[in-house]
Amino acid sequence: MAKLRLQAPLMGSDERKEKKNTWSRALGLLLVLLIVSIVGVAFRENIARCILSQEKKQNGRINHNLSDIVESERGVVAADDGRCSEIGASMLRQGGHAVDAAVATALCLGVVNPMASGIGGGAFMIVRSSSTSKTQAFDMRETAPLAASENMYGSNLTAKYVGALSMAVPGEIAGLHEAWLQYGRLAWRTLFQPAIKLARGGFEIAPYLGLHISQFADMIMNDPGLSRVFAPKGELLQIGDICYNPELAGSLDAVAEQGPQVFYNGTIGERLVRDVKEAGGILTMDDLRNYQVKVTDAVTTNVMGYSISGMPPPSSGTLGLSLVVNILNSYGSFYAANRSLGLHRLIEAMKHMFAVRMNLGDPDFVDIIEYIRKMLSPAFAKQIQQKIFDDTTFPPDYYLPRWSQLRDHGTSHLCVVDSDRNAVSITSTVNFVFGAGVLSPNTGIVLNNEMGDFSIPTEKSPDLLPPAPANFIRPNKRPLSSMTPLIITKNDQLVGVVGGSGGMHIIPAVVQVFLNHFIMGMKPLAAVQHPRVYHQLIPNVVLYENWTVIDGDHIELDNETKIFLKARHHKLEARAGGAIVQLIVQDFQKPVTSTSRRIGKESNNAQVLHGTLTGVSDPRKDGKPAAV
Ligand SMILES: *[C@@H]1O[C@H](CO)[C@@H](O)[C@H](O)[C@H]1NC(C)=O
Ligand SMILES: *[C@@H]1O[C@H](CO)[C@@H](O)[C@H](O)[C@H]1NC(C)=O
Ligand SMILES: *[C@@H]1O[C@H](CO)[C@@H](O)[C@H](O)[C@H]1NC(C)=O
Ligand SMILES: *[C@@H]1O[C@H](CO)[C@@H](O)[C@H](O)[C@H]1NC(C)=O
Ligand SMILES: *[C@@H]1O[C@H](CO)[C@@H](O)[C@H](O)[C@H]1NC(C)=O
Ligand SMILES: *[C@@H]1O[C@H](CO)[C@@H](O)[C@H](O)[C@H]1NC(C)=O
């Protein structure tokens, strides 16, 4: 149920930096929400549906009457922006495979949420084909340029995070294309048209982007490319304004018509390389020509009656989740994670997991077999569980951390299930907000700053631990990541697709949503909305959510749990922020009649059960799912 507070900040603690204009619009929205609540529409799904329902959906305009949750017998797309979910759903309606929808949705997100992801970045994508039951991992993560080296940031650490030198070789276009080659049913160019239209014809600045534009005002104004797009008349665009990126439209158009070659070995790549060089980066055409997508089987962990499939390293997500869930499972009851005591155990499990995961790196460069084996092993999980006590927590040393933590940022997650029950889970990123803080003026592409995710010998981290050698820079190497796109099956039938954005908070968030729904039996929306906790091992503090999110919901851990955790010696700190999670589940208790399965190709496969699909986009970011 929604609790609405007029005096509460709209989007965390930084709203004071926003211009008055934005604030008054925001206040207006809050007022509408308040009135709606007074009228007594108690359920938050309905609130979203009721507000501003007269507002018509137009090109690039936000359709404000959409809900955080959709149900469908055919197909669902859950992204963190409603326009992009709808674009994905439109691909499914045209008979597209889940991969077609995922590509179109991801391209859209790169246009309307360019601070979080885009074709200048990279992604991890999990695809499960319902006809073969095969689950594949498409690793389109960025790689270190050929001219990169372990000590390249020795004299200037800032350059690892800010500016063109922080850019790694982009992988998104190559990876999306590879997945489309294997699974796509629609024409490649068809998938690009909606994103091109938004970039060229203009799109409305959503609250989340608007907030970041005002928060990163200096960065935008200092970069000629960013300021041309986000401050075209010398003044920063605000929530509700229309934004244009014609150069990005041109780049997308070229890739749509000529294929990824034009990016990796043609004119778009040449323009990008020229702009990067101009801005002080080291990207070359050889880097682009060398880029390779890695396609492997997904890593699968079987725990608590579910098969959970996700990315192998350099993602630490699947292995991290596997370790945490196996630790809880080793208590001998699925319900070890129930209630406040369960939360305490979960926090302890996460602290151990963060310590272990920093041994991971790119398996093409470092031998991490031993750690992969451990993190998937129930026996290892049991050993750790024996070090967890129900009455107390411990200082960081207890968890034996050896290396400083990866503290990654940003990103965007989307889930798709189509009418044949093919599924896609994809998390994409440019790393920090607006990546390197540089937009290539001739291509409209935001440069990632993924080099920031490597460890380097000279960096003093907040946790004062040595940097992780497995994650040192080598040319062509992929940096470690927290991104955790997952596909969940039970008895070889698809039951869930989940993943999140928010850097180091992704693994804890995805674990909590998984437990909430699949183990504790919370409904899909409640499982996503439920207040979450985070831990970073160092500092030794439990971060708990206490924030009023964009659509007016107040999300806060309950007092009883806070008191319980304090009694176990946890230090608690309120946080107006956290990870964003998208979730799709399939419910076989609500089976689908065969008449509604007429879109797909493989509908007659009797082995594939069809239940009702429910899609949820996290209200924290105000994304909306879409149904076919
Ligand atoms: C949103 O509003 C439009 C116009 O009023 C309507 O046609 C559409 O069905 C609504 N969509 C939803 C999901 O309520
Ligand atoms: C270090 O890098 C930053 C970001 O690229 C740059 O702005 C700054 O001028 C550099 N400092 C020095 C001393 O080179
Ligand atoms: C790049 O394009 C050239 C032709 O312009 C072609 O000969 C070459 O094989 C291409 N390289 C790659 C890696 O695709
Ligand atoms: C989990 O906790 C709830 C109360 O929060 C309780 O109703 C339920 O029975 C518990 N489940 C198990 C299996 O312990
Ligand atoms: C929780 O957030 C509200 C505003 O949303 C704020 O007034 C309150 O002080 C916060 N509580 C804590 C403990 O930080
Ligand atoms: C939680 O505790 C705070 C202060 O510790 C108090 O102001 C608030 O009313 C309590 N909330 C509930 C729901 O009991």
Side-chain angles (χ1 to χ4, degrees), residues 368-396:
I368 51 169
I369 299 280
E370 172 70 8
Y371 292 105
I372 295 177
R373 197 187 55 73
K374 274 187 177 169
M375 291 184 78
L376 291 170
S377 154
F380 181 71
K382 181 74 193 168
Q383 284 170 23
I384 289 186
Q385 183 251 307
Q386 284 162 351
K387 294 199 252 173
I388 295 176
F389 291 85
D390 282 350
D391 58 354
T392 191
T393 186
F394 295 92

Side-chain angles (χ1 to χ4, degrees), residues 2-21:
K3 274 191 240 157
L4 304 162
R5 294 185 187 176
L6 194 58
Q7 80 281 12
L10 184 66
M11 308 155 226
S13 57
D14 294 293
E15 91 286 359
R16 260 158 277 143
K17 290 183 203 156
E18 286 181 56
K19 294 233 166 96
K20 261 212 172 94
N21 193 358

Side-chain angles (χ1 to χ4, degrees), residues 184-197:
R185 291 178 194 148
L186 303 179
W188 174 247
R189 74 158 62 80
T190 302
L191 313 180
F192 281 69
Q193 299 318 309
I196 293 169
K197 202 167 155 196

Side-chain angles (χ1 to χ4, degrees), residues 261 264-266 289-290:
Q261 283 294 312
Y264 288 96
N265 188 23
R289 275 191 286 267
N290 256 320

Side-chain angles (χ1 to χ4, degrees), residues 439-460:
L439 185 146
S440 147
N442 289 299
T443 63
I445 294 170
V446 173
L447 311 190
N448 72 75
N449 68 335
E450 223 65 54
M451 293 300 285
D453 279 357
F454 280 112
S455 307
I456 59 170
T458 50
E459 188 166 6
K460 285 217 179 62

